[in-house]
């Protein structure tokens, strides 16, 4: 008997442990803000493309693409020829002795036939070319490539900032919907209690069937609101998984705690915004590139001086001919030289390039004035929006306290039968609206702060 009980308890213990493990695995993992940023920086498609673009710009600004290194070209060749030849001597005679006598006879000179005469030629050479001076074109082009690398970094930074802002826009939407789900779950719980209470009161003759039906209608409405909000939350989590490049169905919970940047720090960021705004920095980089373009174009006015050098080897293997014996000839050559090229007039191409480069620079400077004005306007608007949303959030916080107090009083009076179910429901709806509006105001204020921080160039330098 005891053995059976021990086995039974052991089985129950194993079952409880198994259910605990399953429930532990079912609990969604907490996705912190720092973890979300890390995953985005590592996996986001747009950021990965921007990182690759930086690598391309880094390669372009390297010494191997500068034009400062010489070119060394190796050439080699081999040629083989096999020929059959016949040499005739028309009208030419020769005297040859008669065998066994001292006499000679005259006969035509016979043809000389050579079959399979092989001719072989081999050659190899190294040719060196180096530009000593090209009118400073490569010097300024090298500087231009370095500035292009800086511009690519700024473009990548802009991509990262936009992606981080997009990340937290969706992240905080998940947080808002998560809190709304909790509010609606609590609302549904209270509405179900109200149905139970109404049924008891109806059974004991203290209530009418109409109150029961009203309570059931409210439960149905609360259930629908909860289902819709949960579906919105699921969809928004998928949106966040796309940004993180996660599995679309990966489940997680987010951090709903919000910390705002202190006002004194924010004021300092706004004061130095023109020094750090990524759009203004990109425009300044474009201006420097345009200045280098002018100098590169002007290099066409100056001469080009270059060095050349070569070392070569040739070998000819000639077969014997009708008149000469075969021979092998080896030749080694070493040569060097300096050349100067000066395009005194190129049909006006250089003049046109210089003029167009100056116009491009002028356009960049005009664009800088326009962008500066727009950035100032955007910062002023963003700062105003942030302050306004922060004030709205503070008002909504107080509004929640007021409606919470009103609901608790209404709930007590409803239990005592001092107010109708309609009045109680109205107090409940007011509390739901106040709480959801407070959540929306909280995250709207935080997103407005992030937009302001992006414009001041500090989005990547703060703690989230």
């Amino acid at each position: 008997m005891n053995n059976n009980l021990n086995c039974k308890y052991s089985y129950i213990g194993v079952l409880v442990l198994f259910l605990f493990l399953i429930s532990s695995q079912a609990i969604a993992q907490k996705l912190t803000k720092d973890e979300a940023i890390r995953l985005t920086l590592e996996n986001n498609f747009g950021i990965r493309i921007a990182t690759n673009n930086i690598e391309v710009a880094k390669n372009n600004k390297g010494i191997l693409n500068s034009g400062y290194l010489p070119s060394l070209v190796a050439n080699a060749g081999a040629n083989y020829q096999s020929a059959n030849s016949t040499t005739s001597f028309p009208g030419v005679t020769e005297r040859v002795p008669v065998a066994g006598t001292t006499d000679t006879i005259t006969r035509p000179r016979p043809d000389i036939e050579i079959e399979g005469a092989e001719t072989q030629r081999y050659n190899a050479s190294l040719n060196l070319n180096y530009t000593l001076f090209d009118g400073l074109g490569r010097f300024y082009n090298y500087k231009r490539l370095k500035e292009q690398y800086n511009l690519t970094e700024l473009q990548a930074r802009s991509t990262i900032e936009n992606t981080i802002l997009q990340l937290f826009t969706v992240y905080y939407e998940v947080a808002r919907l998560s809190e709304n789900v909790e509010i609606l779950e609590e609302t549904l719980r209270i509405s179900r209690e109200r149905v139970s209470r109404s049924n008891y009161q109806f059974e004991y003759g203290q209530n009418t069937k109409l109150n029961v039906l009203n309570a059931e209608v409210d439960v149905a409405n609360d259930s629908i609101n909860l289902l819709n909000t949960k579906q919105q939350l699921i969809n928004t989590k998928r949106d966040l998984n796309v940004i993180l490049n996660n599995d679309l169905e990966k489940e997680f919970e987010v951090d709903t705690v919000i910390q705002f940047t202190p006002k004194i720090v924010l004021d300092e960021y706004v004061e130095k915004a023109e020094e750090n705004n990524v759009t203004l920095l990109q425009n300044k980089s474009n201006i420097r590139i345009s200045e280098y373009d002018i100098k590169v174009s002007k290099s066409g006015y100056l001469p080009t001086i270059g060095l050349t050098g070569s070392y070569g080897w040739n070998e000819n293997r000639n077969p014997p001919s009708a008149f000469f014996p075969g021979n092998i000839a080896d030749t080694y050559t070493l040569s060097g030289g300096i050349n100067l090229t000066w395009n005194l007039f190129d049909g006006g191409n250089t003049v046109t390039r210089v003029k167009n480069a100056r116009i491009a620079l002028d356009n960049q400077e005009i664009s800088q004035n326009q962008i500066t004005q727009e950035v100032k306007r955007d910062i002023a608007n963003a700062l105003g929006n942030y302050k306004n949303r922060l004030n709205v959030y503070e008002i909504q916080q107080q509004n929640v306290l007021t409606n919470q107090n009103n609901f608790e009083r209404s709930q007590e009076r409803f239990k005592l039968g001092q107010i109708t179910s309609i009045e109680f429901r109205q107090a409940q709806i007011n509390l739901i609206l106040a709480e959801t509006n407070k959540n929306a105001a909280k995250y709207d204020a935080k997103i407005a702060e992030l937009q302001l921080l992006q414009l001041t160039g500090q989005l990547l330098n703060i703690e989230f």
Side-chain angles (χ1 to χ4, degrees), residues 80-86 113-120 319-321:
Y80 173 82
Q81 179 181 343
S82 178
N84 298 325
S85 65
T86 301
E113 295 183 357
I114 300 177
E115 295 183 357
E118 296 181 348
T119 302
Q120 301 174 31
S321 65

Side-chain angles (χ1 to χ4, degrees), residues 24-287:
S24 298
Q25 292 176 356
I27 297 175
Q29 182 181 1
K30 187 68 169 289
L31 178 65
T32 65
K33 300 182 184 74
D34 290 339
E35 180 68 9
I37 293 173
R38 185 187 68 80
L39 291 174
T40 302
L41 293 177
E42 290 179 359
N43 302 327
N44 182 265
F45 296 115
I47 292 178
R48 288 166 62 184
I49 291 173
T51 303
N52 287 338
N53 290 337
I54 290 178
E55 287 299 313
V56 172
K58 183 178 179 181
N59 294 334
N60 288 337
K61 74 159 187 170
I63 190 67
L64 296 177
N65 192 48
S66 66
Y68 278 105
L69 298 179
S71 65
L72 185 63
V73 180
N75 295 306
N79 183 271
Y80 173 82
Q81 179 181 343
S82 178
N84 298 325
S85 65
T86 301
T87 305
S88 300
F89 305 93
V92 178
T93 60
E94 63 178 0
R95 296 184 67 84
V96 294
V98 178
T101 68
T102 59
D103 297 332
T104 61
I105 61 174
T106 301
R107 67 175 185 182
R109 184 174 179 178
D111 296 342
I112 300 177
E113 295 183 357
I114 300 177
E115 295 183 357
E118 296 181 348
T119 302
Q120 301 174 31
R121 295 184 177 89
Y122 305 97
N123 65 82
S125 65
L126 285 176
N127 300 295
L128 176 71
N129 290 282
Y130 182 67
T131 301
L132 289 175
F133 179 76
D134 67 344
L136 297 177
R138 65 181 174 183
F139 174 76
Y140 289 115
N141 188 60
Y142 188 42
K143 286 183 172 292
R144 184 188 185 282
L145 290 173
K146 286 186 174 181
E147 190 58 45
Q148 187 66 47
Y149 172 76
N150 295 335
L151 176 61
T152 306
E153 282 192 323
L154 290 172
Q155 292 169 343
R157 173 185 154 187
S158 179
T159 299
I160 293 172
E161 287 182 356
N162 290 331
T163 305
I164 294 298
L165 184 60
Q166 180 189 18
L167 164 69
F168 279 103
T169 299
V170 180
Y171 185 94
Y172 288 137
E173 180 64 9
V174 173
R176 183 185 73 84
L177 291 171
S178 299
E179 291 191 319
N180 285 355
V181 165
E182 294 178 0
I183 293 170
L184 294 175
E185 286 176 342
E186 177 63 17
T187 301
L188 181 59
R189 184 190 65 78
I190 294 173
S191 295
R192 284 172 174 168
E193 288 182 356
R194 180 178 149 213
V195 170
S196 299
R197 184 180 298 275
S198 296
N199 280 321
Y200 288 140
Q201 290 174 342
F202 175 72
E203 290 175 359
Y204 288 99
Q206 299 175 352
N207 205 348
T208 65
K209 188 63 176 178
L210 179 61
N211 288 331
V212 175
L213 294 176
N214 285 335
E216 290 177 348
V217 168
D218 291 338
V219 166
N221 289 332
D222 291 341
S223 299
I224 292 172
N225 291 334
L226 179 59
L227 286 173
N228 288 336
T229 304
K230 282 185 174 181
Q231 186 58 50
Q232 291 177 9
L233 177 59
I234 292 171
N235 294 343
T236 308
K237 284 184 176 182
R238 289 196 186 102
D239 293 338
L240 188 57
N241 279 327
V242 169
I243 297 174
L244 301 175
N245 193 16
N246 269 341
D247 177 34
L248 290 180
E249 303 304 325
K250 182 176 178 60
E251 184 58 33
F252 56 84
E253 300 295 335
V254 298
D255 187 3
T256 59
V257 177
I258 294 293
Q259 293 182 347
F260 293 100
T261 304
K263 182 178 182 303
I264 186 172
V265 176
L266 206 57
D267 290 341
E268 183 180 351
Y269 290 161
V270 171
E271 184 179 348
K272 297 181 179 179
E274 291 188 33
E275 301 175 11
N276 301 310
N277 179 272
V278 69
T279 304
L280 288 175
L281 292 175
Q282 287 182 74
N283 186 258
K284 291 177 181 177
S285 182
N286 280 322
I287 288 176

